Amino acid sequence: MKSIVIQTPEELVIEERPRAEPAAGEVRVKVKLAGICGSDSHIYRGHNPFAKYPRVIGHEFFGVIDAVGEGVDHARMGQRVSVDPVISCGHCYPCSVGKPNVCTSLVVLGVHRDGGFSEYAVVPEKNAWPIPDTISDRHAVMVEPFTIAANVTGHASPLEQDVALIYGAGPMGLVTTQALKGVYNVSQVIVVDRIDERLEMAQRSGADWVINNGNRSLQAELEAKGIKPTLIIDAACHPSILQEAVTLASPAARIVLMGFSSEPSQVVQQGITGKELSIFSSRLNANKFPVVISWLEQGLIDPDKLITNTFDYHDVKDAIERFEKDQRHCCKVLLTFS
């Protein structure tokens, strides 16, 4: 089988490997589609501190089960499945309180263990979620990105009367915009970014108001309209955002941090306690695949609004380059394997 392997940072090869065989409790997935994420790019460029090399990257993928290991029901053969990349132990403290995404022995497909940028991928049976026939292949491969939004909203419990502010109109900001509007019917969703074309994508995903804070003061824009956001989501992950979010937030607001930054944030504690703000962080997803599959079945979200490019997997280098360099027009990039 052909697999896309990052041998070392900046060294990507398409390698011929023996076709993987599922062990007990595992299934083999014949991959049909996979999505490129920022973390794939970071592993390729050597910027992901969690990655181990060599590595088959890819944690957003969809395909068909074509082999099962011992103990797995043979009725699963031929099932269309989307794969949850989070592999957890099931018995540590985080797992016991419903947070397998921060398991003390967490393994993420495509990061710590070979992932889905391959013609075949072997995964634990419980991580292969059946996809109803009513959901297209292109939507099925987008389940994992939308689980990020499901995890964020699971923390924040959005209300219809919320005024939400999202920093960043990248893929994670856009899936969250769709969830807030399509699933939770939030009254007002404001998206801020510095790229006008990305803000147009946010509008197509349901944003009520977009602001380019590269040439305008976000604080001045909100104050001019008398707006104090009750829910703020940081999908841009710059160290300066947290203090600004605390300043802008309404009393009793919730703030959710989505990403990783190695740079410290400076924040005045009085602003948090004085307003009794709630601050959450969100990583990966905690058992959110069935949630997103349900959203898709009900037509509450539309992945097509994010998919901008499709490449054959042989052209993966071009695909990653497009993803990295064309932020004005490129959002979600898919690779086809069959």
PDB file of all heavy atoms in Angstrom, residues 195-221:
ATOM      1  N   ILE A 195      -8.136  38.838   7.339  1.00  0.00           N
ATOM      2  CA  ILE A 195      -8.167  38.511   5.919  1.00  0.00           C
ATOM      3  C   ILE A 195      -9.612  38.630   5.436  1.00  0.00           C
ATOM      4  O   ILE A 195     -10.491  37.892   5.897  1.00  0.00           O
ATOM      5  CB  ILE A 195      -7.626  37.084   5.655  1.00  0.00           C
ATOM      6  CG1 ILE A 195      -6.179  36.959   6.141  1.00  0.00           C
ATOM      7  CG2 ILE A 195      -7.726  36.732   4.183  1.00  0.00           C
ATOM      8  CD1 ILE A 195      -5.615  35.546   6.045  1.00  0.00           C
ATOM      9  N   ASP A 196      -9.864  39.565   4.532  1.00  0.00           N
ATOM     10  CA  ASP A 196     -11.237  39.838   4.095  1.00  0.00           C
ATOM     11  C   ASP A 196     -11.898  38.610   3.475  1.00  0.00           C
ATOM     12  O   ASP A 196     -13.089  38.353   3.698  1.00  0.00           O
ATOM     13  CB  ASP A 196     -11.253  40.995   3.086  1.00  0.00           C
ATOM     14  CG  ASP A 196     -11.049  42.350   3.753  1.00  0.00           C
ATOM     15  OD1 ASP A 196     -11.404  42.487   4.948  1.00  0.00           O
ATOM     16  OD2 ASP A 196     -10.524  43.267   3.092  1.00  0.00           O
ATOM     17  N   GLU A 197     -11.135  37.853   2.684  1.00  0.00           N
ATOM     18  CA  GLU A 197     -11.722  36.677   2.036  1.00  0.00           C
ATOM     19  C   GLU A 197     -12.155  35.640   3.070  1.00  0.00           C
ATOM     20  O   GLU A 197     -13.164  34.950   2.883  1.00  0.00           O
ATOM     21  CB  GLU A 197     -10.721  36.068   1.051  1.00  0.00           C
ATOM     22  CG  GLU A 197     -10.472  36.911  -0.193  1.00  0.00           C
ATOM     23  CD  GLU A 197      -9.431  38.007   0.009  1.00  0.00           C
ATOM     24  OE1 GLU A 197      -8.958  38.194   1.160  1.00  0.00           O
ATOM     25  OE2 GLU A 197      -9.084  38.672  -0.978  1.00  0.00           O
ATOM     26  N   ARG A 198     -11.406  35.501   4.153  1.00  0.00           N
ATOM     27  CA  ARG A 198     -11.799  34.575   5.218  1.00  0.00           C
ATOM     28  C   ARG A 198     -13.070  35.077   5.923  1.00  0.00           C
ATOM     29  O   ARG A 198     -13.922  34.291   6.330  1.00  0.00           O
ATOM     30  CB  ARG A 198     -10.664  34.408   6.223  1.00  0.00           C
ATOM     31  CG  ARG A 198      -9.579  33.428   5.765  1.00  0.00           C
ATOM     32  CD  ARG A 198     -10.145  32.023   5.638  1.00  0.00           C
ATOM     33  NE  ARG A 198      -9.201  31.055   5.137  1.00  0.00           N
ATOM     34  CZ  ARG A 198      -8.411  30.309   5.906  1.00  0.00           C
ATOM     35  NH1 ARG A 198      -8.428  30.458   7.211  1.00  0.00           N
ATOM     36  NH2 ARG A 198      -7.608  29.430   5.365  1.00  0.00           N
ATOM     37  N   LEU A 199     -13.175  36.386   6.055  1.00  0.00           N
ATOM     38  CA  LEU A 199     -14.383  36.947   6.666  1.00  0.00           C
ATOM     39  C   LEU A 199     -15.603  36.708   5.775  1.00  0.00           C
ATOM     40  O   LEU A 199     -16.709  36.491   6.277  1.00  0.00           O
ATOM     41  CB  LEU A 199     -14.181  38.440   6.933  1.00  0.00           C
ATOM     42  CG  LEU A 199     -13.152  38.756   8.031  1.00  0.00           C
ATOM     43  CD1 LEU A 199     -12.874  40.249   8.094  1.00  0.00           C
ATOM     44  CD2 LEU A 199     -13.630  38.245   9.393  1.00  0.00           C
ATOM     45  N   GLU A 200     -15.393  36.712   4.454  1.00  0.00           N
ATOM     46  CA  GLU A 200     -16.497  36.377   3.547  1.00  0.00           C
ATOM     47  C   GLU A 200     -16.923  34.922   3.753  1.00  0.00           C
ATOM     48  O   GLU A 200     -18.118  34.593   3.705  1.00  0.00           O
ATOM     49  CB  GLU A 200     -16.071  36.619   2.101  1.00  0.00           C
ATOM     50  CG  GLU A 200     -15.891  38.096   1.759  1.00  0.00           C
ATOM     51  CD  GLU A 200     -15.254  38.307   0.391  1.00  0.00           C
ATOM     52  OE1 GLU A 200     -15.088  37.314  -0.356  1.00  0.00           O
ATOM     53  OE2 GLU A 200     -14.900  39.461   0.080  1.00  0.00           O
ATOM     54  N   MET A 201     -15.941  34.021   3.992  1.00  0.00           N
ATOM     55  CA  MET A 201     -16.276  32.624   4.293  1.00  0.00           C
ATOM     56  C   MET A 201     -17.086  32.546   5.578  1.00  0.00           C
ATOM     57  O   MET A 201     -18.022  31.739   5.689  1.00  0.00           O
ATOM     58  CB  MET A 201     -14.996  31.784   4.432  1.00  0.00           C
ATOM     59  CG  MET A 201     -14.195  31.610   3.163  1.00  0.00           C
ATOM     60  SD  MET A 201     -12.736  30.564   3.481  1.00  0.00           S
ATOM     61  CE  MET A 201     -11.761  30.899   2.011  1.00  0.00           C
ATOM     62  N   ALA A 202     -16.730  33.386   6.561  1.00  0.00           N
ATOM     63  CA  ALA A 202     -17.462  33.395   7.823  1.00  0.00           C
ATOM     64  C   ALA A 202     -18.909  33.816   7.604  1.00  0.00           C
ATOM     65  O   ALA A 202     -19.832  33.246   8.198  1.00  0.00           O
ATOM     66  CB  ALA A 202     -16.771  34.316   8.822  1.00  0.00           C
ATOM     67  N   GLN A 203     -19.106  34.795   6.753  1.00  0.00           N
ATOM     68  CA  GLN A 203     -20.482  35.219   6.445  1.00  0.00           C
ATOM     69  C   GLN A 203     -21.268  34.094   5.783  1.00  0.00           C
ATOM     70  O   GLN A 203     -22.445  33.878   6.091  1.00  0.00           O
ATOM     71  CB  GLN A 203     -20.459  36.463   5.561  1.00  0.00           C
ATOM     72  CG  GLN A 203     -20.023  37.725   6.305  1.00  0.00           C
ATOM     73  CD  GLN A 203     -19.975  38.946   5.407  1.00  0.00           C
ATOM     74  OE1 GLN A 203     -19.351  38.922   4.339  1.00  0.00           O
ATOM     75  NE2 GLN A 203     -20.630  40.020   5.836  1.00  0.00           N
ATOM     76  N   ARG A 204     -20.613  33.355   4.872  1.00  0.00           N
ATOM     77  CA  ARG A 204     -21.299  32.232   4.227  1.00  0.00           C
ATOM     78  C   ARG A 204     -21.631  31.128   5.235  1.00  0.00           C
ATOM     79  O   ARG A 204     -22.587  30.372   5.044  1.00  0.00           O
ATOM     80  CB  ARG A 204     -20.436  31.667   3.091  1.00  0.00           C
ATOM     81  CG  ARG A 204     -20.322  32.598   1.888  1.00  0.00           C
ATOM     82  CD  ARG A 204     -19.822  31.871   0.653  1.00  0.00           C
ATOM     83  NE  ARG A 204     -18.455  31.414   0.777  1.00  0.00           N
ATOM     84  CZ  ARG A 204     -17.379  32.153   0.465  1.00  0.00           C
ATOM     85  NH1 ARG A 204     -17.540  33.401   0.035  1.00  0.00           N
ATOM     86  NH2 ARG A 204     -16.163  31.664   0.585  1.00  0.00           N
ATOM     87  N   SER A 205     -20.849  31.062   6.312  1.00  0.00           N
ATOM     88  CA  SER A 205     -21.100  30.056   7.351  1.00  0.00           C
ATOM     89  C   SER A 205     -22.080  30.544   8.409  1.00  0.00           C
ATOM     90  O   SER A 205     -22.341  29.830   9.378  1.00  0.00           O
ATOM     91  CB  SER A 205     -19.778  29.638   8.017  1.00  0.00           C
ATOM     92  OG  SER A 205     -19.056  28.762   7.164  1.00  0.00           O
ATOM     93  N   GLY A 206     -22.599  31.769   8.232  1.00  0.00           N
ATOM     94  CA  GLY A 206     -23.663  32.225   9.117  1.00  0.00           C
ATOM     95  C   GLY A 206     -23.341  33.394  10.009  1.00  0.00           C
ATOM     96  O   GLY A 206     -24.207  33.847  10.774  1.00  0.00           O
ATOM     97  N   ALA A 207     -22.105  33.920   9.974  1.00  0.00           N
ATOM     98  CA  ALA A 207     -21.754  35.050  10.835  1.00  0.00           C
ATOM     99  C   ALA A 207     -22.665  36.238  10.541  1.00  0.00           C
ATOM    100  O   ALA A 207     -22.939  36.559   9.390  1.00  0.00           O
ATOM    101  CB  ALA A 207     -20.301  35.442  10.629  1.00  0.00           C
ATOM    102  N   ASP A 208     -23.123  36.886  11.604  1.00  0.00           N
ATOM    103  CA  ASP A 208     -24.012  38.040  11.459  1.00  0.00           C
ATOM    104  C   ASP A 208     -23.237  39.328  11.199  1.00  0.00           C
ATOM    105  O   ASP A 208     -23.750  40.255  10.569  1.00  0.00           O
ATOM    106  CB  ASP A 208     -24.846  38.209  12.734  1.00  0.00           C
ATOM    107  CG  ASP A 208     -25.708  36.990  13.014  1.00  0.00           C
ATOM    108  OD1 ASP A 208     -26.688  36.793  12.269  1.00  0.00           O
ATOM    109  OD2 ASP A 208     -25.387  36.231  13.949  1.00  0.00           O
ATOM    110  N   TRP A 209     -22.030  39.404  11.708  1.00  0.00           N
ATOM    111  CA  TRP A 209     -21.211  40.610  11.565  1.00  0.00           C
ATOM    112  C   TRP A 209     -19.756  40.180  11.540  1.00  0.00           C
ATOM    113  O   TRP A 209     -19.341  39.327  12.346  1.00  0.00           O
ATOM    114  CB  TRP A 209     -21.474  41.558  12.743  1.00  0.00           C
ATOM    115  CG  TRP A 209     -20.773  42.883  12.673  1.00  0.00           C
ATOM    116  CD1 TRP A 209     -20.327  43.534  11.565  1.00  0.00           C
ATOM    117  CD2 TRP A 209     -20.440  43.726  13.787  1.00  0.00           C
ATOM    118  NE1 TRP A 209     -19.751  44.720  11.906  1.00  0.00           N
ATOM    119  CE2 TRP A 209     -19.818  44.875  13.267  1.00  0.00           C
ATOM    120  CE3 TRP A 209     -20.627  43.631  15.172  1.00  0.00           C
ATOM    121  CZ2 TRP A 209     -19.337  45.919  14.069  1.00  0.00           C
ATOM    122  CZ3 TRP A 209     -20.162  44.659  15.980  1.00  0.00           C
ATOM    123  CH2 TRP A 209     -19.541  45.786  15.440  1.00  0.00           C
ATOM    124  N   VAL A 210     -18.981  40.696  10.601  1.00  0.00           N
ATOM    125  CA  VAL A 210     -17.556  40.386  10.527  1.00  0.00           C
ATOM    126  C   VAL A 210     -16.765  41.681  10.638  1.00  0.00           C
ATOM    127  O   VAL A 210     -17.205  42.735  10.179  1.00  0.00           O
ATOM    128  CB  VAL A 210     -17.196  39.628   9.229  1.00  0.00           C
ATOM    129  CG1 VAL A 210     -17.889  38.275   9.188  1.00  0.00           C
ATOM    130  CG2 VAL A 210     -17.526  40.439   7.988  1.00  0.00           C
ATOM    131  N   ILE A 211     -15.604  41.594  11.261  1.00  0.00           N
ATOM    132  CA  ILE A 211     -14.759  42.758  11.502  1.00  0.00           C
ATOM    133  C   ILE A 211     -13.322  42.412  11.123  1.00  0.00           C
ATOM    134  O   ILE A 211     -12.783  41.401  11.583  1.00  0.00           O
ATOM    135  CB  ILE A 211     -14.795  43.192  12.980  1.00  0.00           C
ATOM    136  CG1 ILE A 211     -16.230  43.509  13.421  1.00  0.00           C
ATOM    137  CG2 ILE A 211     -13.877  44.383  13.222  1.00  0.00           C
ATOM    138  CD1 ILE A 211     -16.374  43.722  14.922  1.00  0.00           C
ATOM    139  N   ASN A 212     -12.706  43.237  10.291  1.00  0.00           N
ATOM    140  CA  ASN A 212     -11.283  43.102   9.991  1.00  0.00           C
ATOM    141  C   ASN A 212     -10.528  43.937  11.014  1.00  0.00           C
ATOM    142  O   ASN A 212     -10.514  45.162  10.947  1.00  0.00           O
ATOM    143  CB  ASN A 212     -10.983  43.568   8.562  1.00  0.00           C
ATOM    144  CG  ASN A 212      -9.539  43.296   8.177  1.00  0.00           C
ATOM    145  OD1 ASN A 212      -8.628  43.400   8.988  1.00  0.00           O
ATOM    146  ND2 ASN A 212      -9.317  42.940   6.912  1.00  0.00           N
ATOM    147  N   ASN A 213      -9.903  43.254  11.976  1.00  0.00           N
ATOM    148  CA  ASN A 213      -9.184  43.987  13.025  1.00  0.00           C
ATOM    149  C   ASN A 213      -7.741  44.295  12.640  1.00  0.00           C
ATOM    150  O   ASN A 213      -6.951  44.726  13.485  1.00  0.00           O
ATOM    151  CB  ASN A 213      -9.244  43.242  14.357  1.00  0.00           C
ATOM    152  CG  ASN A 213      -8.522  41.905  14.334  1.00  0.00           C
ATOM    153  OD1 ASN A 213      -8.310  41.323  13.262  1.00  0.00           O
ATOM    154  ND2 ASN A 213      -8.162  41.395  15.494  1.00  0.00           N
ATOM    155  N   GLY A 214      -7.435  44.093  11.355  1.00  0.00           N
ATOM    156  CA  GLY A 214      -6.132  44.529  10.866  1.00  0.00           C
ATOM    157  C   GLY A 214      -6.118  46.018  10.576  1.00  0.00           C
ATOM    158  O   GLY A 214      -5.064  46.656  10.603  1.00  0.00           O
ATOM    159  N   ASN A 215      -7.278  46.571  10.295  1.00  0.00           N
ATOM    160  CA  ASN A 215      -7.336  47.993   9.976  1.00  0.00           C
ATOM    161  C   ASN A 215      -8.386  48.744  10.808  1.00  0.00           C
ATOM    162  O   ASN A 215      -8.632  49.921  10.573  1.00  0.00           O
ATOM    163  CB  ASN A 215      -7.632  48.189   8.478  1.00  0.00           C
ATOM    164  CG  ASN A 215      -8.822  47.356   8.000  1.00  0.00           C
ATOM    165  OD1 ASN A 215      -9.798  47.200   8.725  1.00  0.00           O
ATOM    166  ND2 ASN A 215      -8.718  46.812   6.785  1.00  0.00           N
ATOM    167  N   ARG A 216      -9.010  48.057  11.760  1.00  0.00           N
ATOM    168  CA  ARG A 216      -9.982  48.697  12.642  1.00  0.00           C
ATOM    169  C   ARG A 216      -9.789  48.192  14.065  1.00  0.00           C
ATOM    170  O   ARG A 216      -9.368  47.060  14.274  1.00  0.00           O
ATOM    171  CB  ARG A 216     -11.416  48.391  12.192  1.00  0.00           C
ATOM    172  CG  ARG A 216     -11.856  49.125  10.948  1.00  0.00           C
ATOM    173  CD  ARG A 216     -13.324  48.831  10.656  1.00  0.00           C
ATOM    174  NE  ARG A 216     -13.506  47.514  10.069  1.00  0.00           N
ATOM    175  CZ  ARG A 216     -14.691  46.944   9.880  1.00  0.00           C
ATOM    176  NH1 ARG A 216     -15.795  47.569  10.267  1.00  0.00           N
ATOM    177  NH2 ARG A 216     -14.793  45.762   9.313  1.00  0.00           N
ATOM    178  N   SER A 217     -10.117  49.020  15.031  1.00  0.00           N
ATOM    179  CA  SER A 217     -10.038  48.613  16.428  1.00  0.00           C
ATOM    180  C   SER A 217     -11.273  47.801  16.777  1.00  0.00           C
ATOM    181  O   SER A 217     -12.402  48.300  16.690  1.00  0.00           O
ATOM    182  CB  SER A 217      -9.958  49.839  17.335  1.00  0.00           C
ATOM    183  OG  SER A 217     -10.276  49.493  18.682  1.00  0.00           O
ATOM    184  N   LEU A 218     -11.064  46.557  17.178  1.00  0.00           N
ATOM    185  CA  LEU A 218     -12.180  45.702  17.564  1.00  0.00           C
ATOM    186  C   LEU A 218     -12.928  46.311  18.752  1.00  0.00           C
ATOM    187  O   LEU A 218     -14.161  46.368  18.761  1.00  0.00           O
ATOM    188  CB  LEU A 218     -11.669  44.300  17.908  1.00  0.00           C
ATOM    189  CG  LEU A 218     -12.703  43.323  18.469  1.00  0.00           C
ATOM    190  CD1 LEU A 218     -13.846  43.101  17.497  1.00  0.00           C
ATOM    191  CD2 LEU A 218     -12.028  41.997  18.830  1.00  0.00           C
ATOM    192  N   GLN A 219     -12.173  46.780  19.729  1.00  0.00           N
ATOM    193  CA  GLN A 219     -12.813  47.352  20.913  1.00  0.00           C
ATOM    194  C   GLN A 219     -13.670  48.558  20.544  1.00  0.00           C
ATOM    195  O   GLN A 219     -14.814  48.679  21.001  1.00  0.00           O
ATOM    196  CB  GLN A 219     -11.757  47.751  21.939  1.00  0.00           C
ATOM    197  CG  GLN A 219     -12.349  48.271  23.242  1.00  0.00           C
ATOM    198  CD  GLN A 219     -11.316  48.413  24.342  1.00  0.00           C
ATOM    199  OE1 GLN A 219     -10.164  48.004  24.186  1.00  0.00           O
ATOM    200  NE2 GLN A 219     -11.717  48.968  25.471  1.00  0.00           N
ATOM    201  N   ALA A 220     -13.147  49.422  19.681  1.00  0.00           N
ATOM    202  CA  ALA A 220     -13.910  50.612  19.279  1.00  0.00           C
ATOM    203  C   ALA A 220     -15.168  50.230  18.513  1.00  0.00           C
ATOM    204  O   ALA A 220     -16.233  50.832  18.702  1.00  0.00           O
ATOM    205  CB  ALA A 220     -13.025  51.534  18.435  1.00  0.00           C
ATOM    206  N   GLU A 221     -15.057  49.210  17.647  1.00  0.00           N
ATOM    207  CA  GLU A 221     -16.214  48.775  16.863  1.00  0.00           C
ATOM    208  C   GLU A 221     -17.321  48.241  17.777  1.00  0.00           C
ATOM    209  O   GLU A 221     -18.504  48.558  17.598  1.00  0.00           O
ATOM    210  CB  GLU A 221     -15.798  47.690  15.866  1.00  0.00           C
ATOM    211  CG  GLU A 221     -14.906  48.176  14.738  1.00  0.00           C
ATOM    212  CD  GLU A 221     -15.662  48.979  13.703  1.00  0.00           C
ATOM    213  OE1 GLU A 221     -16.837  48.663  13.442  1.00  0.00           O
ATOM    214  OE2 GLU A 221     -15.075  49.934  13.155  1.00  0.00           O
TER     215      GLU A 221
END
